[in-house]
Amino acid sequence: MRIRTLTLSCGLLLLLAWPDATPTLGVARAAEPAPAELGQPAPDFTLTGTDGRPFHLADLKGKRVVLEWFNPDCPFVRHAHTQGPLKDQGNRAAQAGVVWVAINSGAPGKQGAGLARSQSAVKEYGISYPVLIDESGQVGRRYGAKSTPHMYLINEKGVLVYRGAIDNAPLGAPEGGGGGAVVNHVEAALRDVQAGKPVKTPETKPYGCSVKYGS
Amino acid sequence: MPAVRFMCRLLTWLALPVCGSASDARAAAPLVTAALVPAHGAVVPGQPLWLGVRLDIAPGWHLYWDNPGDSGLPTRARVQAPPGYQVGAARYPGPLRFTLPGGVRIYGYEHHVTLPIEVRPPTGLSPGGAAAFTARASWLACSETCVPGKADLSLTLPVRAAAPPDTAQHVQVAQEVAQLPRPLSALPGAQVSRADGDLRCRVPDASEVEFFPTAAAEQALASANVARDGAGFVVRLLPRPGQALDAAPGVLRVRRGEKTAYYQVEGAP
């Protein structure tokens, strides 16, 4: 039975993966899934977390969702989680009802990639929310995640309303030097969404390490 | 023996985990070596002087341009001079483009880069004594992984009526300054025009043209299209709706025959 199911899903996968091979079925050529766009519905995805539980974005309508691209061994992520904003921001937001998840899109063998390292990082950094494993990089590419940490905010309607940096202070130093003020872009965007207002700064330039995709 | 050492080094470059001593040596060697180097051997009253923050980068690693691109962090350098000196901002040589897996585009430097900074002595300075400069450089070095770094540098130069003969090191800094991006108007036949909110640069007689946006322009740009146009190229910069491009949205890397030079794009009148 189990084998039959497997065979069936493999067949389905083949059909999905090679739509050109099925013209006689009258199936329209499957388009590349639409990439994430600001102001548009956030692309749905399902990934499994370090806690072993599946995470399905579409189940979370009515909630604010923050996606945090993650590589535990990137110095920017390490700084943010040990001395910087992510030391407690995600945990606090999660307590306040925001669905906050980290996503590790590192390909197998790359720095900080994989389930085991992500699980140890959850302990190391005291992360109270799931880290989702995206070793194929499919979700990362679809969202256009380029760096770690690259942040995305999805509002209660499932619309992508912010993407960019966590703040204006890579490694704790506000840009422009001279002791300027630290602005936490994700916190500001969450405040706007909570107040029912459009996000004032919907996009900033992310900084950090490149996401370690496979080729 | 030298052949073995060469093979080890080659394999180290290929990131193969062999030749223990060679990889250990690489791990111990700094990824980036920084130095503060002047374009001349003395401060001459009344004459501006370029100081270069030179960063030597280990093989296989790169540092970032003023706009790092999709990830990374800009390389920064600042100079502190004695009171009365005017100190300019760090200038950036034209970058290279690297595309990483997943289409991550970054702009930066390999091997070495010098960020020149101009200092102007105070008026009324007279020869004699010395001038002490310090510099702080910071960077992010990346290959498969990324390592942030910084250095505090210093340099003391005599103040003289005339500079002593330049050394090879001085000449090299002067050459780096000469290779900084020049205004596009310095390229004969180049034209910049604005039409319907977009900006077009026409570059005549080039075999290759590449556009590098500033960080600000990158946020404002909907597209940057480089297309062949006869013997040259047209670069078309289209801002996003409601956004405007500033006066200097980026630099062009122009290859003509064997020569490559960088030009600063400037807004049309």
Side-chain angles (χ1 to χ4, degrees):
Chain A
M1 185 59 204
R2 199 179 155 152
I3 289 171
R4 279 236 323 260
T5 318
L6 266 178
T7 321
L8 183 65
S9 25
C10 281
L12 270 175
L13 272 177
L14 277 175
L15 286 183
L16 288 173
W18 283 281
D20 280 347
T22 60
T24 49
L25 294 178
V27 179
R29 191 190 156 84
E32 273 277 295
E37 294 290 351
L38 274 177
Q40 298 294 317
D44 189 25
F45 64 87
T46 303
L47 288 173
T48 304
T50 38
D51 53 5
R53 297 224 295 259
F55 176 96
H56 186 195
L57 183 66
D59 294 343
L60 297 165
K61 284 274 166 64
K63 295 201 181 261
R64 288 162 285 156
V65 179
V66 172
L67 311 179
E68 169 200 331
W69 255 270
F70 184 72
N71 164 1
D73 296 325
C74 161
F76 293 86
V77 173
R78 181 174 294 280
H79 183 277
H81 272 280
T82 54
Q83 303 164 57
L86 291 168
K87 201 175 159 187
D88 60 353
Q89 189 181 351
N91 293 349
R92 273 190 291 117
Q95 265 174 10
V98 174
V99 177
W100 191 297
V101 289
I103 300 180
N104 189 337
S105 295
K110 301 263 181 154
Q111 182 202 43
L115 178 64
R117 178 63 189 112
S118 299
Q119 280 171 332
S120 65
V122 164
K123 286 196 196 118
E124 185 182 341
Y125 296 144
I127 298 173
S128 71
Y129 44 89
V131 175
L132 310 179
I133 308 301
D134 176 38
E135 279 190 302
S136 73
Q138 214 170 10
V139 175
R141 287 171 209 255
R142 196 153 175 214
Y143 273 80
K146 309 284 192 196
S147 63
T148 52
H150 199 164
M151 308 296 299
Y152 294 75
L153 172 61
I154 298 160
N155 72 9
E156 288 94 336
K157 292 178 186 136
V159 171
L160 183 64
V161 291
Y162 175 79
R163 70 175 163 205
I166 175 90
D167 59 16
N168 65 340
L171 302 172
E175 268 152 21
V182 173
V183 180
N184 189 302
H185 299 305
V186 174
E187 206 166 273
L190 272 167
R191 262 202 310 273
D192 288 342
V193 170
Q194 174 116 41
K197 292 192 292 196
V199 173
K200 199 173 155 209
T201 307
E203 186 165 30
T204 60
K205 191 173 170 56
Y207 62 82
C209 311
S210 59
V211 176
K212 309 300 180 197
Y213 291 110
S215 35
Chain B
M1 205 47 203
V4 170
R5 210 175 304 148
F6 173 76
M7 274 312 291
C8 280
R9 210 170 290 163
L10 188 69
L11 289 168
T12 310
W13 286 339
L14 295 172
L16 295 179
V18 293
C19 304
S21 60
S23 10
D24 291 349
R26 192 187 65 155
L31 296 176
V32 175
T33 309
L36 182 59
V37 189
H40 300 294
V43 172
V44 178
Q47 288 184 18
L49 173 70
W50 287 96
L51 303 181
V53 172
R54 185 185 163 101
L55 303 170
D56 285 289
I57 309 162
W61 292 75
H62 60 260
L63 305 186
Y64 293 87
W65 188 43
D66 190 22
N67 173 15
D70 286 334
S71 68
L73 204 63
T75 304
R76 296 287 185 223
R78 262 197 340 261
V79 161
Q80 286 229 303
Y85 282 72
Q86 283 178 26
V87 179
R91 301 284 306 277
Y92 289 82
L96 295 172
R97 179 194 310 264
F98 305 93
T99 304
L100 311 181
V104 178
R105 276 171 309 111
I106 55 168
Y107 310 125
Y109 310 103
E110 294 178 304
H111 310 304
H112 76 265
V113 60
T114 297
L115 303 188
I117 296 167
E118 195 182 40
V119 296
R120 288 171 179 272
T123 46
L125 180 75
S126 39
F133 302 93
T134 59
R136 158 65 66 95
S138 64
W139 60 83
L140 181 71
C142 294
S143 65
E144 266 298 294
T145 64
C146 297
V147 182
K150 63 181 174 206
D152 287 307
L153 309 166
S154 60
L155 171 72
T156 301
L157 288 174
V159 180
R160 291 195 189 166
D166 290 335
T167 65
Q169 218 184 16
H170 299 151
V171 171
Q172 203 174 11
V173 173
Q175 280 171 351
E176 306 268 8
V177 170
Q179 284 164 14
L180 286 172
R182 282 178 291 164
L184 192 56
S185 54
L187 180 65
Q191 286 175 347
V192 181
S193 60
R194 268 184 203 266
D196 307 328
D198 70 355
L199 195 145
R200 278 167 216 225
C201 312
R202 200 173 294 273
V203 181
D205 302 326
S207 51
E208 209 182 305
V209 169
E210 222 177 332
F211 174 69
F212 297 88
T214 62
E218 200 170 57
Q219 293 290 320
L221 272 174
S223 67
N225 182 26
V226 181
R228 269 221 167 270
D229 178 56
F233 285 85
V234 169
V235 180
R236 186 168 174 235
L237 307 179
L238 189 68
R240 293 182 186 180
Q243 301 260 22
L245 291 173
D246 57 30
V251 299
L252 292 176
R253 178 174 181 270
V254 178
R255 191 181 155 89
R256 304 171 101 178
E258 289 304 299
K259 282 193 179 162
T260 299
Y262 288 87
Y263 296 92
Q264 181 77 52
V265 178
E266 292 163 328

